[in-house]
């Protein structure tokens, strides 16, 4: 893949484009689209075998994309519809039962705005595990037993983020981990419109270029759902992508950039508001899903 | 003790006052005062036996108080002198050697200003452990191997803070833990002037009234130094203390307050600046102490 | 008045208490209570003559107090009911018409949390005047022509706040000024429960003890409505008030405090959340009142 | 000019490049370079006539660029050298005398990080005018009479920023205005390295594409010095600039982008730290220049 992106839907778009067809069938890739209340477009990509995995450069599993128009600085109504749609999609991957033990992880660095989605979201999720520790709780209550953890980044802790997460998991003993993280996209517009849900695990710190441990169901023995929002764009991606219809020799252009160009990562100028609005939407979507007895 | 305070020096002051003497000798308590460059007054209280411990309501160990005039919103020069003085006192308790393994813990809640001293300070400490993990490092370099950890509070994580700290200690394997926390004092003036260093361990969450696990050398097998700054005042303490020379029946007044009065905890109105300035001073003092090859 | 408070309702309470009666009639003071949807208690105090003004130590005019249970960190529902109640009370003092010209002033210092209610609230109010400047606007639209201004405090600007407000008024030419400010109360509980609306004008910087210019209908020729929330407590007030039933000689206690005690002003430890929640409520209440075409 | 930039030095670089020469002489443009203590490169561009003004697309006047290596997250020492260099350059444009009346304006939006340089800097400048108002001041003291003003942006105030600034100038009656603002650059690297000082005035809101009033010596009768730091990059600029050596038909590429491409503005991912560090440097440089009796 020429383009750096964390979004399965962008890999699919690139593949479609390179193959000159609107929407091509790929063996090992199932695609389904949906729509929620005139506000949210949903694309469910399921990679079912190694062939599909290789074509889309992503592990086997589910990748659900929500595209929301005008979420940033938009009305509370749009944000509530987005949270409802997110909750409906989460319920496809999560089997809720009363007292479900969930550990919510907020990846990233709360001091760097484009990397702060995870910490901000976890701060807004309803954490309940300590009530279960401290009081007798009515098991009929439709709430989950939720812990929250903000591990920080290696540059601030000096420790492997994956190790810290595993430690928290040993304390909270969750049946399910939900990790929230900032992502990279190739299309700047996605910064203020897109949420991706996947069930293939996480590799904390991958965005910083450090090789990192994979955290997923096979390494942890616990299902790991990742929820991400694109917050950064690689400038090489940005450049090649914007001129893709113009350049006669894109490979030459890329080689030229590699030799002469920047490898800077950039972000949107309204990133403060993006983080505020999307952390609201994601925390809400999680609260509705895990605590139906309180939030619905 | 009638008065709620986390400061050994205030317990000593109360004892002195109740006993009608300026500075009284207590068996099992050694007191020494010092002064640093016209800017910082230092009082070193050493509790040496059970008798001293009972009299001052504190565990056996060292309690060093730094009193700094005009630290808040003051000149950079005052803050640098305070950091130097803090470093000199830390060196009485810490035996530095190259690559000393230290874990810095920031206790408290970064979303509640008067409880955010720990998280803010850790964010300003120079963390280095990942360099040692990633590169061959010159063992002659006068720097420590420092990790940082911000465990959050139980209401936000759902997990026991002490459990999270023990997990981090298992990862970082430190020879020394330094924990930074907000404290309660009886005297409002102390909020913008006082730092206490002690070597008797910590009980995370103690300030919230929850019973908590003690973390100290005997429970962890690792020396634990606590650095704290008073940021809150109990109103009962404030009331009784301010009228102490006026009330003929202080016990009756206290009983009255217990029946009728508030038990609110209050803070100074300039608490934002207090946290900013004292986190600068403490982080600087730690950096100078642990990384002499970089900071001095 | 022995007690420092900016709340008319507290002056009334003190008067009642001193006169040993539950609710006493005062010549020149009309009091009316009301209740909004099980969530907000309303007390409307109208001072109608000089006698009432002298008794309650407040200028002639209207003082409406809203008391909200569990507003801080409470449910969105409570906050919406509080905003609705605030809007209903504002409508008693404001005659809305389409394109009503309003200048919203956020008094206080955004860098000092307990003094930041005004700036935070103005940032959440829907400002519209520039649309009227830039586009032809449909005069049938039920929205006001709203400007917003955050003048800062004299210590940060070097200028009289009243002068800056008058300048902004000369630009925006409003029919009505609404000023939001932090207040002092005698009762700590009021910090997280009370909103006061008054129509007697403002004296910017009065809280800092500096003599300041009055801004009201007679000095400006524009109606001035002030909306305030108590965020600070004077410790003298706190002390005397809490022991009021115990002290046999309250005047002696006060004299003792004046000679020996602190004059510190303190705030609640959850002040960050108080500012967040009350700025939401007040901005919402203003938006509903001034822009019925958008918000209801 | 094909490239959008607020930096005179970039216009000069583009002109040089287009004319195939390293450093070309332009009639009406004087260029001088300098260096400060191994840390700051200085380029002084003086546009002396209409010809120079047309060639560089900038009004007649002085444009001083400071380039600082490793200012962001760098040592305090580098930041102090940068502040000293900035002060030396300011002194070329400002004739200090005791009680010099200066109004410091912080342009931009404090809620949008890449636009918040102005507000953050003004908050760190030593404002003194109120001391002169309140006390008899010793006229021999080497300090200026400084006011500070943060006018906000039209979208938040509903008022023309230029009108608000003129009002503040009528109150403070300054001999000199210094305005701090965020700038656009073509080169991403400049976001963390460059400060521009100019004496040709400001046009508040120009960055938002709205036509705005010019504030300069001829419209105000007061000398206006602007200090700016690039914080945003136009993506079109970024794209064309990075491929400038590769594209055989840059005009065609530009036309293609205009038809198909984005016009998004992006910022650096470490923008929070950029704003923090450069507001420190600029505020310090101003304080040293205007208050030699306190800061040197």
């Amino acid at each position: 893949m020429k383009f750096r992106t964390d979004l399965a839907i962008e890999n699919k778009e690139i593949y479609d484009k390179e193959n000159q067809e609107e929407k091509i069938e790929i063996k090992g890739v199932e695609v389904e689209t949906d729509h929620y209340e005139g506000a949210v477009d949903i694309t469910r990509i399921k990679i079912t075998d190694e062939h599909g995995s290789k074509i889309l450069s992503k592990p086997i599993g589910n990748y659900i994309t929500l595209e929301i128009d005008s979420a940033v600085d938009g009305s509370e109504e749009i944000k509530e519809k987005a949270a409802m749609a997110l909750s409906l999609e989460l319920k496809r991957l999560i089997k809720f039962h009363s007292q479900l033990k969930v550990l919510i992880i907020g990846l990233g660095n709360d001091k760097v705005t484009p990397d702060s989605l995870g910490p901000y979201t976890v701060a807004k999720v309803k954490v309940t595990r300590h009530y279960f520790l401290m009081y007798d709780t009515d098991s009929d209550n439709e709430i989950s037993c939720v812990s929250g953890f903000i591990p920080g980044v290696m540059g601030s802790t000096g420790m492997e983020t994956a190790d810290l997460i595993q430690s928290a998991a040993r304390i909270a003993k969750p049946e399910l981990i939900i990790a929230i993280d900032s992502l990279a996209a190739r299309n700047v517009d996605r910064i203020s419109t897109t949420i991706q849900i996947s069930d293939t695990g996480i590799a904390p710190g991958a965005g910083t270029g450090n090789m990192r441990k994979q955290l997923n169901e096979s390494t942890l023995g616990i299902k790991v759902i990742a929820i991400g929002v694109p917050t950064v764009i690689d400038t090489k991606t940005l450049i090649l992508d914007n001129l893709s219809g113009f350049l006669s020799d894109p490979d030459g252009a890329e080689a030229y950039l590699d030799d002469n160009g920047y490898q800077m990562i950039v972000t949107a100028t309204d990133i403060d508001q993006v983080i505020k609005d999307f952390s609201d939407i994601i925390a809400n979507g999680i609260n509705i899903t895990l605590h139906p007895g309180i939030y619905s």
Side-chain angles (χ1 to χ4, degrees), chain A residues 252-273:
Chain A
E254 191 185 3
Y256 176 84
L257 285 174
D258 286 342
D259 291 345
N260 301 280
Y262 312 117
Q263 286 294 339
M264 288 279 308
I265 286 171
V266 294
T267 189
T269 52
D270 63 347
I271 189 67
D272 309 80
Q273 194 64 37

Side-chain angles (χ1 to χ4, degrees), chain A residues 117-131:
Chain A
L117 180 76
Y120 273 83
T121 304
V122 170
K124 296 174 181 172
V125 166
K126 178 79 176 170
V127 163
T128 56
R129 183 173 174 272
H130 51 306
Y131 302 139

Side-chain angles (χ1 to χ4, degrees), chain A residues 34-52:
Chain A
D34 208 338
H35 199 75
Y36 183 79
E37 291 212 2
V40 185
D41 285 314
I42 294 156
T43 307
R44 298 181 200 104
I45 297 177
K46 182 172 198 149
I47 301 182
T48 58
D49 66 16
E50 286 302 326
H51 179 262

Side-chain angles (χ1 to χ4, degrees), chain A residues 1-118:
Chain A
M1 284 278 157
K2 207 177 259 94
F3 300 102
R4 173 162 173 234
T5 173
D6 294 326
L7 298 176
I9 198 172
E10 290 197 333
N11 283 348
K12 179 71 172 57
E13 287 168 355
I14 294 160
Y15 183 84
D16 290 348
K17 208 168 189 180
E18 284 172 351
N19 288 276
Q20 320 274 344
E21 301 193 26
E22 259 297 289
K23 299 262 172 183
I24 201 166
E25 285 274 323
I26 308 171
K27 185 189 154 297
V29 178
E30 296 167 11
V31 180
E32 179 179 294
T33 61
D34 208 338
H35 199 75
Y36 183 79
E37 291 212 2
V40 185
D41 285 314
I42 294 156
T43 307
R44 298 181 200 104
I45 297 177
K46 182 172 198 149
I47 301 182
T48 58
D49 66 16
E50 286 302 326
H51 179 262
S53 171
K54 202 179 150 198
I55 293 291
L56 293 194
S57 303
K58 291 273 171 197
I60 292 172
N62 290 287
Y63 301 85
I64 302 172
T65 307
L66 290 84
E67 291 167 279
I68 308 137
D69 243 20
S70 322
V72 173
D73 245 339
S75 66
E76 286 303 309
E77 201 192 334
I78 292 281
K79 284 165 66 178
E80 264 167 52
K81 280 184 185 171
M84 282 302 304
L86 176 64
S87 177
L88 289 174
E89 296 306 312
L90 281 174
K91 283 173 189 162
R92 293 173 169 268
L93 304 176
I94 298 171
K95 224 178 112 85
F96 172 79
H97 60 82
S98 184
Q99 302 198 24
L100 177 69
K101 286 188 190 165
V102 186
L103 172 61
I104 316 284
I105 306 284
L107 295 168
N109 186 343
D110 67 347
K111 298 280 184 291
V112 174
T113 306
D115 197 27
S116 65
L117 180 76

